[in-house]
Amino acid sequence: METKDKISVTSKTLASGNCQVKFFVEDEQRPQYGYLLVTEPKPVGDIIEEIKSRLERRRMDEKNVNPFFPLSPVSDDPNFYLFSA
C-alpha cells in the first residue's frame, strides 16, 4: 500500500464537536480533494495515514470493477468524500 501522493490537510471543528478535515491530493495526473469526518482528536500523521488507507481502498475497488457490469463501486463510507480537482 505505497502511495507517493503528496497530501495536505486543513481542519475545522464543527458545532457537533467532530472535526472536518479537508485534504488535497497533489497528483499531476489526477489531482483530487475531499473531506474526512473525524469523531475524535487525532494527530495529523494519523489522519494522513487514514486518508492514504481510504484512498488505497478506493483504488483497489476501482480495479475490481466487473467488465460485464462496468459501474464504479458505490461508496459506503459516509465520513469520507473524494472529488476530482
Coordinates of all heavy atoms in Angstrom, one line a residue:
M1 N 0.8 -1.2 0.0 CA 0.0 0.0 0.0 C 0.9 1.2 0.0 O 0.8 2.1 0.9 CB -0.9 0.0 1.2 CG -1.8 1.2 1.3 SD -2.8 1.2 2.8 CE -1.7 1.7 4.0
E2 N 1.7 1.4 -1.0 CA 2.6 2.5 -1.0 C 2.1 3.5 -2.0 O 2.0 3.3 -3.2 CB 4.0 2.0 -1.5 CG 5.1 3.1 -1.4 CD 5.4 3.6 0.0 OE1 5.3 2.8 0.9 OE2 5.7 4.8 0.1
T3 N 1.6 4.7 -1.5 CA 1.2 5.7 -2.3 C 2.2 6.9 -2.2 O 2.7 7.2 -1.1 CB -0.2 6.3 -1.9 OG1 -0.1 6.7 -0.5 CG2 -1.3 5.2 -2.1
K4 N 2.5 7.5 -3.4 CA 3.5 8.5 -3.4 C 2.8 9.9 -3.5 O 3.5 10.9 -3.8 CB 4.5 8.3 -4.5 CG 5.3 7.0 -4.3 CD 6.2 6.8 -5.4 CE 7.0 5.5 -5.0 NZ 7.4 4.6 -6.0
D5 N 1.5 9.9 -3.3 CA 0.8 11.2 -3.4 C 1.2 12.1 -2.3 O 1.3 11.6 -1.2 CB -0.7 10.9 -3.4 CG -1.2 10.0 -4.5 OD1 -0.5 10.1 -5.6 OD2 -2.1 9.3 -4.3
K6 N 1.3 13.4 -2.6 CA 1.5 14.3 -1.5 C 0.1 14.8 -1.0 O -0.7 15.2 -1.8 CB 2.3 15.5 -2.0 CG 2.6 16.5 -1.0 CD 3.5 17.6 -1.5 CE 3.7 18.6 -0.3 NZ 4.4 19.8 -0.8
I7 N -0.1 14.7 0.2 CA -1.4 15.1 0.8 C -1.2 16.2 1.8 O -0.4 16.2 2.7 CB -2.0 13.9 1.5 CG1 -2.3 12.7 0.5 CG2 -3.3 14.2 2.2 CD1 -2.7 11.4 1.2
S8 N -2.0 17.3 1.6 CA -2.0 18.4 2.5 C -3.4 18.4 3.2 O -4.4 18.1 2.5 CB -1.7 19.7 1.9 OG -2.5 20.0 0.8
V9 N -3.5 18.8 4.4 CA -4.8 18.8 5.1 C -5.0 20.2 5.9 O -4.0 20.8 6.3 CB -4.8 17.7 6.2 CG1 -4.8 16.3 5.5 CG2 -3.8 17.8 7.2
T10 N -6.2 20.5 6.0 CA -6.7 21.6 6.8 C -7.9 21.1 7.6 O -8.6 20.2 7.1 CB -7.1 22.9 6.1 OG1 -8.1 22.6 5.1 CG2 -5.9 23.5 5.3
S11 N -8.1 21.6 8.8 CA -9.3 21.1 9.5 C -10.0 22.2 10.3 O -9.5 23.3 10.5 CB -8.8 20.0 10.6 OG -7.9 20.6 11.5
K12 N -11.2 21.9 10.6 CA -12.0 22.8 11.4 C -12.9 22.0 12.3 O -13.4 20.9 11.9 CB -12.8 23.8 10.6 CG -14.0 23.2 9.8 CD -14.7 24.4 9.1 CE -15.9 23.8 8.3 NZ -16.6 24.9 7.7
T13 N -13.2 22.5 13.5 CA -14.1 21.9 14.4 C -15.5 22.3 14.1 O -15.8 23.5 13.9 CB -13.7 22.2 15.8 OG1 -12.4 21.9 16.1 CG2 -14.6 21.5 16.8
L14 N -16.4 21.3 14.0 CA -17.8 21.6 13.7 C -18.6 21.8 15.0 O -18.1 21.5 16.1 CB -18.4 20.4 12.9 CG -17.7 20.0 11.6 CD1 -18.3 18.8 11.0 CD2 -17.8 21.2 10.6
A15 N -19.8 22.3 14.9 CA -20.7 22.6 16.1 C -20.9 21.3 16.8 O -21.2 21.3 18.0 CB -22.0 23.2 15.6
S16 N -20.9 20.1 16.1 CA -21.2 18.8 16.7 C -20.0 18.4 17.6 O -20.1 17.4 18.3 CB -21.5 17.8 15.7 OG -20.3 17.6 14.9
G17 N -18.9 19.0 17.5 CA -17.7 18.6 18.2 C -16.8 17.7 17.3 O -15.6 17.5 17.7
N18 N -17.3 17.3 16.2 CA -16.5 16.5 15.3 C -15.5 17.4 14.6 O -15.7 18.6 14.5 CB -17.3 15.7 14.3 CG -18.2 14.7 14.9 OD1 -17.9 14.2 16.0 ND2 -19.3 14.3 14.3
C19 N -14.5 16.8 13.9 CA -13.5 17.6 13.2 C -13.7 17.3 11.7 O -13.6 16.1 11.3 CB -12.1 17.3 13.7 SG -10.9 18.2 12.9
Q20 N -13.8 18.3 10.9 CA -13.9 18.1 9.4 C -12.5 18.4 8.8 O -12.0 19.5 9.0 CB -14.9 19.0 8.8 CG -15.0 18.9 7.3 CD -15.9 19.9 6.7 OE1 -15.7 21.1 6.9 NE2 -16.8 19.5 5.8
V21 N -11.9 17.4 8.2 CA -10.6 17.5 7.6 C -10.8 17.6 6.1 O -11.3 16.7 5.5 CB -9.7 16.3 7.9 CG1 -8.3 16.5 7.3 CG2 -9.6 16.2 9.5
K22 N -10.3 18.7 5.5 CA -10.3 18.9 4.1 C -8.9 18.5 3.6 O -7.9 19.0 4.2 CB -10.7 20.3 3.6 CG -10.7 20.5 2.1 CD -11.2 21.8 1.7 CE -11.3 21.9 0.2 NZ -11.9 23.2 -0.2
F23 N -8.8 17.7 2.6 CA -7.5 17.3 2.2 C -7.3 17.5 0.7 O -8.3 17.4 -0.1 CB -7.2 15.8 2.6 CG -8.1 14.8 2.0 CD1 -7.8 14.2 0.8 CD2 -9.2 14.4 2.6 CE1 -8.7 13.3 0.2 CE2 -10.1 13.5 2.1 CZ -9.8 12.9 0.9
F24 N -6.1 17.7 0.2 CA -5.8 17.8 -1.2 C -4.8 16.8 -1.5 O -3.7 16.6 -0.9 CB -5.2 19.2 -1.5 CG -6.2 20.3 -1.2 CD1 -6.2 20.9 0.0 CD2 -7.1 20.7 -2.2 CE1 -7.0 22.0 0.3 CE2 -7.9 21.8 -1.9 CZ -7.9 22.4 -0.6
V25 N -5.0 16.0 -2.6 CA -4.0 15.0 -3.1 C -3.4 15.7 -4.3 O -4.0 15.9 -5.3 CB -4.7 13.7 -3.5 CG1 -3.7 12.7 -4.0 CG2 -5.5 13.1 -2.3
E26 N -2.1 16.0 -4.1 CA -1.4 16.7 -5.2 C -0.7 15.7 -6.1 O 0.4 15.3 -5.9 CB -0.4 17.6 -4.6 CG -1.0 18.7 -3.7 CD -0.1 19.5 -2.9 OE1 1.1 19.6 -3.2 OE2 -0.5 20.1 -1.9
D27 N -1.5 15.3 -7.1 CA -1.0 14.3 -8.1 C -1.1 15.0 -9.5 O -2.2 15.4 -9.8 CB -1.9 13.1 -8.0 CG -1.5 12.0 -9.0 OD1 -0.7 12.2 -9.9 OD2 -2.1 10.9 -8.9
E28 N -0.1 15.0 -10.2 CA -0.1 15.8 -11.5 C -1.1 15.2 -12.5 O -1.7 15.9 -13.3 CB 1.3 15.8 -12.1 CG 2.3 16.7 -11.4 CD 3.6 16.8 -12.0 OE1 3.7 16.4 -13.2 OE2 4.6 17.2 -11.4
Q29 N -1.2 13.9 -12.5 CA -2.1 13.2 -13.5 C -3.6 13.2 -13.0 O -4.5 13.3 -13.8 CB -1.7 11.8 -13.7 CG -0.3 11.8 -14.4 CD 0.4 10.5 -14.1 OE1 0.1 9.7 -13.3 NE2 1.5 10.3 -14.9
R30 N -3.8 13.2 -11.7 CA -5.2 13.1 -11.2 C -5.3 13.8 -9.8 O -5.4 13.1 -8.8 CB -5.5 11.6 -11.0 CG -6.9 11.3 -10.8 CD -7.2 9.8 -10.8 NE -8.4 9.5 -10.0 CZ -8.8 8.3 -9.8 NH1 -8.1 7.3 -10.2 NH2 -9.9 8.1 -9.1
P31 N -5.3 15.1 -9.8 CA -5.4 15.8 -8.6 C -6.8 15.6 -8.0 O -7.8 15.6 -8.7 CB -5.1 17.3 -8.9 CG -5.4 17.4 -10.4 CD -5.1 16.0 -11.0
Q32 N -6.9 15.5 -6.7 CA -8.2 15.2 -6.0 C -8.2 16.0 -4.7 O -7.2 16.5 -4.2 CB -8.3 13.7 -5.7 CG -8.3 12.9 -6.9 CD -8.3 11.4 -6.6 OE1 -7.5 11.0 -5.8 NE2 -9.2 10.6 -7.1
Y33 N -9.4 16.2 -4.2 CA -9.6 16.8 -2.9 C -10.8 16.1 -2.3 O -11.6 15.4 -2.9 CB -9.8 18.3 -3.0 CG -11.2 18.7 -3.5 CD1 -12.2 19.0 -2.7 CD2 -11.4 18.8 -4.9 CE1 -13.5 19.3 -3.2 CE2 -12.6 19.1 -5.4 CZ -13.6 19.4 -4.6 OH -14.9 19.8 -5.1
G34 N -10.9 16.2 -1.0 CA -12.0 15.5 -0.3 C -12.1 16.0 1.1 O -11.4 16.8 1.6
Y35 N -13.0 15.3 1.8 CA -13.3 15.6 3.2 C -13.4 14.3 4.0 O -13.9 13.3 3.5 CB -14.7 16.3 3.4 CG -14.7 17.6 2.6 CD1 -15.1 17.7 1.3 CD2 -14.3 18.8 3.3 CE1 -15.2 18.9 0.7 CE2 -14.3 20.0 2.6 CZ -14.8 20.1 1.3 OH -14.8 21.3 0.7
L36 N -12.9 14.3 5.2 CA -12.9 13.2 6.1 C -13.5 13.8 7.5 O -13.0 14.8 8.0 CB -11.5 12.6 6.4 CG -11.4 11.6 7.4 CD1 -12.1 10.3 7.0 CD2 -9.9 11.3 7.7
L37 N -14.5 13.1 8.0 CA -15.0 13.5 9.3 C -14.4 12.6 10.3 O -14.4 11.4 10.3 CB -16.6 13.2 9.3 CG -17.3 13.7 10.5 CD1 -17.2 15.2 10.7 CD2 -18.7 13.2 10.5
V38 N -13.8 13.3 11.3 CA -13.1 12.6 12.4 C -13.9 12.9 13.7 O -14.2 14.0 14.0 CB -11.6 13.1 12.5 CG1 -10.9 12.4 13.7 CG2 -10.9 13.0 11.2
T39 N -14.2 11.8 14.4 CA -15.1 12.0 15.6 C -14.3 12.1 16.9 O -14.9 12.5 17.9 CB -16.0 10.7 15.7 OG1 -15.2 9.6 15.8 CG2 -17.0 10.7 14.5
E40 N -13.0 11.9 16.8 CA -12.2 12.1 18.0 C -10.9 12.8 17.6 O -10.4 12.6 16.5 CB -11.9 10.7 18.7 CG -11.2 9.8 17.8 CD -11.2 8.4 18.3 OE1 -12.1 7.9 19.0 OE2 -10.1 7.7 18.1
P41 N -10.3 13.5 18.5 CA -9.0 14.2 18.2 C -7.9 13.1 17.8 O -7.8 12.1 18.5 CB -8.6 14.9 19.4 CG -9.8 14.9 20.3 CD -10.7 13.8 19.9
K42 N -7.2 13.4 16.7 CA -6.1 12.5 16.3 C -4.9 13.4 15.8 O -5.1 14.5 15.3 CB -6.5 11.7 15.1 CG -7.6 10.6 15.4 CD -7.8 9.8 14.2 CE -8.8 8.7 14.4 NZ -9.0 7.9 13.3
P43 N -3.7 12.9 16.0 CA -2.6 13.6 15.4 C -2.7 13.7 13.9 O -3.2 12.8 13.3 CB -1.4 12.8 15.9 CG -1.9 11.9 16.9 CD -3.3 11.7 16.7
V44 N -2.1 14.7 13.3 CA -2.1 14.9 11.9 C -1.5 13.7 11.1 O -2.1 13.3 10.1 CB -1.3 16.2 11.5 CG1 -1.2 16.4 10.0 CG2 -2.0 17.4 12.1
G45 N -0.5 13.1 11.6 CA 0.1 12.0 11.0 C -0.9 10.8 10.9 O -0.9 10.1 9.9
D46 N -1.6 10.6 12.0 CA -2.6 9.5 11.9 C -3.8 9.8 10.9 O -4.2 8.9 10.3 CB -3.3 9.3 13.3 CG -2.3 8.7 14.3 OD1 -1.2 8.3 13.9 OD2 -2.6 8.7 15.5
I47 N -4.1 11.1 10.8 CA -5.2 11.5 9.9 C -4.7 11.2 8.5 O -5.4 10.7 7.6 CB -5.6 12.9 10.1 CG1 -6.4 13.0 11.4 CG2 -6.5 13.4 9.0 CD1 -6.7 14.5 11.9
I48 N -3.5 11.6 8.2 CA -2.9 11.4 6.8 C -2.8 9.9 6.5 O -3.2 9.5 5.4 CB -1.6 12.1 6.7 CG1 -1.8 13.7 6.7 CG2 -0.9 11.7 5.4 CD1 -0.6 14.5 6.7
E49 N -2.4 9.1 7.5 CA -2.4 7.7 7.2 C -3.8 7.1 7.0 O -3.9 6.2 6.1 CB -1.7 6.9 8.4 CG -0.2 7.2 8.5 CD 0.5 6.7 7.2 OE1 0.2 5.7 6.7 OE2 1.4 7.5 6.7
E50 N -4.8 7.6 7.7 CA -6.1 7.1 7.4 C -6.6 7.5 6.1 O -7.3 6.7 5.4 CB -7.1 7.7 8.5 CG -8.5 7.2 8.4 CD -9.4 7.6 9.6 OE1 -8.8 8.0 10.6 OE2 -10.6 7.5 9.4
I51 N -6.3 8.7 5.6 CA -6.7 9.2 4.3 C -6.0 8.3 3.2 O -6.6 7.9 2.3 CB -6.3 10.7 4.1 CG1 -7.2 11.6 4.9 CG2 -6.4 11.1 2.6 CD1 -6.8 13.0 5.0
K52 N -4.7 8.0 3.4 CA -4.0 7.2 2.5 C -4.6 5.8 2.4 O -4.7 5.2 1.3 CB -2.5 7.1 2.9 CG -1.7 8.3 2.6 CD -0.2 8.1 3.0 CE 0.6 9.3 2.7 NZ 2.0 9.1 3.1
S53 N -5.0 5.3 3.5 CA -5.6 4.0 3.6 C -6.9 3.9 2.8 O -7.2 3.0 2.1 CB -5.8 3.6 5.0 OG -6.6 2.4 5.1
R54 N -7.7 4.9 3.0 CA -9.0 5.0 2.4 C -8.8 5.2 0.9 O -9.6 4.7 0.0 CB -9.9 6.1 3.0 CG -10.3 5.7 4.4 CD -11.1 6.8 5.0 NE -11.4 6.5 6.4 CZ -12.6 6.6 7.0 NH1 -13.6 7.0 6.3 NH2 -12.7 6.3 8.3
L55 N -7.8 6.0 0.5 CA -7.6 6.2 -1.0 C -7.1 4.9 -1.6 O -7.6 4.6 -2.7 CB -6.5 7.3 -1.2 CG -6.9 8.7 -0.9 CD1 -5.6 9.6 -0.9 CD2 -7.9 9.2 -1.9
E56 N -6.3 4.2 -0.9 CA -5.8 2.9 -1.5 C -7.0 1.9 -1.6 O -7.1 1.2 -2.6 CB -4.7 2.3 -0.6 CG -4.1 1.1 -1.1 CD -3.4 1.3 -2.4 OE1 -2.9 2.4 -2.7 OE2 -3.3 0.3 -3.2
R57 N -7.9 1.9 -0.6 CA -9.0 1.0 -0.7 C -9.9 1.4 -1.9 O -10.4 0.5 -2.6 CB -9.9 1.2 0.6 CG -10.9 0.1 0.8 CD -11.6 0.2 2.2 NE -10.7 0.5 3.3 CZ -11.0 1.4 4.2 NH1 -12.2 2.0 4.2 NH2 -10.2 1.7 5.2
R58 N -10.1 2.7 -2.1 CA -10.9 3.2 -3.3 C -10.2 2.7 -4.6 O -10.9 2.3 -5.5 CB -11.0 4.7 -3.3 CG -11.9 5.2 -2.3 CD -13.2 5.6 -3.0 NE -14.2 6.1 -2.0 CZ -14.7 7.2 -2.0 NH1 -14.5 8.1 -2.9 NH2 -15.6 7.6 -1.0
R59 N -8.9 2.8 -4.7 CA -8.2 2.4 -5.9 C -8.3 0.9 -6.1 O -8.5 0.5 -7.3 CB -6.7 2.8 -5.8 CG -6.4 4.3 -5.9 CD -5.0 4.6 -5.8 NE -4.8 6.1 -5.9 CZ -4.1 6.8 -5.0 NH1 -3.4 6.2 -4.1 NH2 -4.0 8.1 -5.1
M60 N -8.2 0.1 -5.1 CA -8.4 -1.3 -5.2 C -9.8 -1.6 -5.6 O -10.0 -2.5 -6.5 CB -8.1 -2.0 -3.9 CG -6.6 -1.9 -3.5 SD -5.4 -2.4 -4.8 CE -5.7 -4.2 -4.8
D61 N -10.8 -0.9 -5.1 CA -12.2 -1.2 -5.5 C -12.4 -0.9 -7.0 O -13.1 -1.6 -7.7 CB -13.2 -0.3 -4.7 CG -13.3 -0.8 -3.3 OD1 -12.9 -2.0 -3.0 OD2 -13.9 -0.1 -2.4
E62 N -11.7 0.2 -7.5 CA -11.9 0.6 -8.9 C -11.2 -0.5 -9.8 O -11.7 -0.7 -10.9 CB -11.2 1.9 -9.1 CG -12.0 3.1 -8.6 CD -11.3 4.4 -8.7 OE1 -10.2 4.5 -9.3 OE2 -11.9 5.4 -8.3
K63 N -10.2 -1.1 -9.3 CA -9.5 -2.1 -10.1 C -10.4 -3.4 -10.2 O -10.2 -4.2 -11.1 CB -8.2 -2.5 -9.5 CG -7.1 -1.4 -9.7 CD -5.8 -1.9 -9.2 CE -4.8 -0.8 -9.3 NZ -3.5 -1.1 -8.7
N64 N -11.3 -3.6 -9.2 CA -12.1 -4.8 -9.2 C -13.4 -4.6 -9.8 O -14.4 -5.4 -9.6 CB -12.3 -5.3 -7.7 CG -11.0 -5.7 -7.2 OD1 -10.1 -6.3 -7.9 ND2 -10.8 -5.6 -5.9
V65 N -13.6 -3.6 -10.7 CA -14.9 -3.4 -11.4 C -15.1 -4.5 -12.4 O -14.2 -4.9 -13.1 CB -14.9 -2.0 -12.1 CG1 -16.1 -1.9 -12.9 CG2 -14.8 -0.9 -11.0
N66 N -16.3 -5.1 -12.3 CA -16.7 -6.2 -13.3 C -16.8 -5.6 -14.7 O -17.5 -4.7 -14.9 CB -18.0 -6.8 -12.8 CG -18.4 -7.9 -13.6 OD1 -18.0 -8.2 -14.8 ND2 -19.4 -8.7 -13.1
P67 N -16.0 -6.2 -15.7 CA -16.1 -5.6 -17.0 C -17.4 -5.8 -17.7 O -17.7 -5.1 -18.7 CB -14.9 -6.4 -17.7 CG -14.7 -7.6 -16.9 CD -15.1 -7.3 -15.5
F68 N -18.2 -6.8 -17.2 CA -19.5 -7.0 -17.8 C -20.6 -6.1 -17.2 O -21.7 -6.0 -17.6 CB -19.9 -8.5 -17.6 CG -19.0 -9.4 -18.3 CD1 -18.1 -10.2 -17.6 CD2 -18.9 -9.4 -19.7 CE1 -17.2 -11.0 -18.2 CE2 -18.0 -10.3 -20.4 CZ -17.1 -11.1 -19.6
F69 N -20.2 -5.5 -16.1 CA -21.2 -4.6 -15.4 C -20.4 -3.4 -14.9 O -20.1 -3.2 -13.7 CB -21.8 -5.3 -14.2 CG -23.1 -4.6 -13.7 CD1 -24.2 -4.4 -14.5 CD2 -23.0 -4.2 -12.4 CE1 -25.3 -3.8 -13.9 CE2 -24.1 -3.5 -11.9 CZ -25.3 -3.3 -12.6
P70 N -19.9 -2.5 -15.9 CA -18.9 -1.5 -15.5 C -19.4 -0.3 -14.8 O -19.3 0.8 -15.3 CB -18.3 -1.1 -16.9 CG -19.5 -1.3 -17.8 CD -20.2 -2.5 -17.3
L71 N -19.9 -0.5 -13.6 CA -20.3 0.7 -12.8 C -19.3 0.8 -11.6 O -18.9 -0.2 -11.1 CB -21.7 0.4 -12.2 CG -22.8 0.5 -13.2 CD1 -24.1 0.2 -12.5 CD2 -22.9 1.8 -13.9
S72 N -18.9 2.0 -11.3 CA -18.0 2.2 -10.2 C -18.7 1.7 -8.9 O -19.9 1.9 -8.8 CB -17.6 3.7 -10.1 OG -16.9 4.0 -11.3
P73 N -17.9 1.2 -8.0 CA -18.5 0.8 -6.7 C -19.0 2.0 -6.0 O -18.5 3.1 -6.0 CB -17.3 0.2 -6.0 CG -16.1 0.7 -6.7 CD -16.5 1.0 -8.1
V74 N -20.2 1.8 -5.4 CA -20.8 2.9 -4.6 C -20.1 3.0 -3.3 O -19.9 2.0 -2.6 CB -22.3 2.6 -4.4 CG1 -23.0 3.6 -3.6 CG2 -23.0 2.5 -5.8
S75 N -19.8 4.2 -2.9 CA -19.1 4.4 -1.6 C -20.1 4.1 -0.5 O -21.2 4.6 -0.5 CB -18.5 5.8 -1.5 OG -18.0 6.0 -0.2
D76 N -19.6 3.4 0.5 CA -20.5 3.1 1.6 C -19.9 3.8 2.9 O -20.1 3.3 4.0 CB -20.7 1.6 1.8 CG -19.4 0.9 2.1 OD1 -18.3 1.5 1.8 OD2 -19.4 -0.3 2.5
D77 N -19.0 4.8 2.7 CA -18.4 5.4 3.8 C -18.9 6.9 3.9 O -18.4 7.8 3.2 CB -16.9 5.4 3.5 CG -16.1 5.9 4.7 OD1 -16.7 6.4 5.7 OD2 -14.9 5.8 4.7
P78 N -19.8 7.1 4.8 CA -20.4 8.5 4.8 C -19.5 9.5 5.5 O -19.8 10.7 5.5 CB -21.6 8.3 5.7 CG -21.3 7.1 6.6 CD -20.4 6.2 5.7
N79 N -18.3 9.1 6.0 CA -17.4 10.0 6.6 C -16.2 10.4 5.7 O -15.3 11.0 6.1 CB -16.8 9.4 7.9 CG -17.9 9.3 8.9 OD1 -18.9 10.0 9.0 ND2 -17.8 8.3 9.8
F80 N -16.2 9.9 4.4 CA -15.1 10.1 3.5 C -15.7 10.5 2.1 O -16.4 9.7 1.5 CB -14.2 8.9 3.4 CG -13.0 9.0 2.6 CD1 -11.9 9.7 3.1 CD2 -12.9 8.5 1.4 CE1 -10.8 9.9 2.4 CE2 -11.8 8.6 0.6 CZ -10.7 9.3 1.1
Y81 N -15.4 11.7 1.6 CA -15.8 12.1 0.3 C -14.6 12.5 -0.5 O -13.7 13.1 0.0 CB -16.7 13.3 0.5 CG -18.0 13.0 1.2 CD1 -18.1 13.2 2.6 CD2 -19.1 12.4 0.6 CE1 -19.2 12.9 3.3 CE2 -20.2 12.1 1.3 CZ -20.3 12.3 2.6 OH -21.4 12.0 3.3
L82 N -14.6 12.1 -1.8 CA -13.5 12.3 -2.6 C -14.0 12.9 -4.0 O -14.9 12.3 -4.5 CB -12.7 11.0 -2.9 CG -11.5 11.0 -3.7 CD1 -10.4 11.9 -3.0 CD2 -10.9 9.6 -3.9
F83 N -13.3 13.9 -4.5 CA -13.7 14.6 -5.7 C -12.5 14.8 -6.6 O -11.3 14.9 -6.1 CB -14.3 15.9 -5.4 CG -15.4 15.9 -4.4 CD1 -15.2 16.2 -3.1 CD2 -16.7 15.6 -4.9 CE1 -16.3 16.1 -2.2 CE2 -17.8 15.5 -4.0 CZ -17.6 15.8 -2.6
S84 N -12.7 14.9 -7.9 CA -11.6 15.2 -8.8 C -11.4 16.7 -8.8 O -12.4 17.5 -8.8 CB -11.9 14.8 -10.2 OG -12.0 13.4 -10.3
A85 N -10.2 17.2 -8.8 CA -10.0 18.6 -8.8 C -9.9 19.2 -10.2 O -9.7 18.5 -11.2 CB -8.7 18.9 -8.1

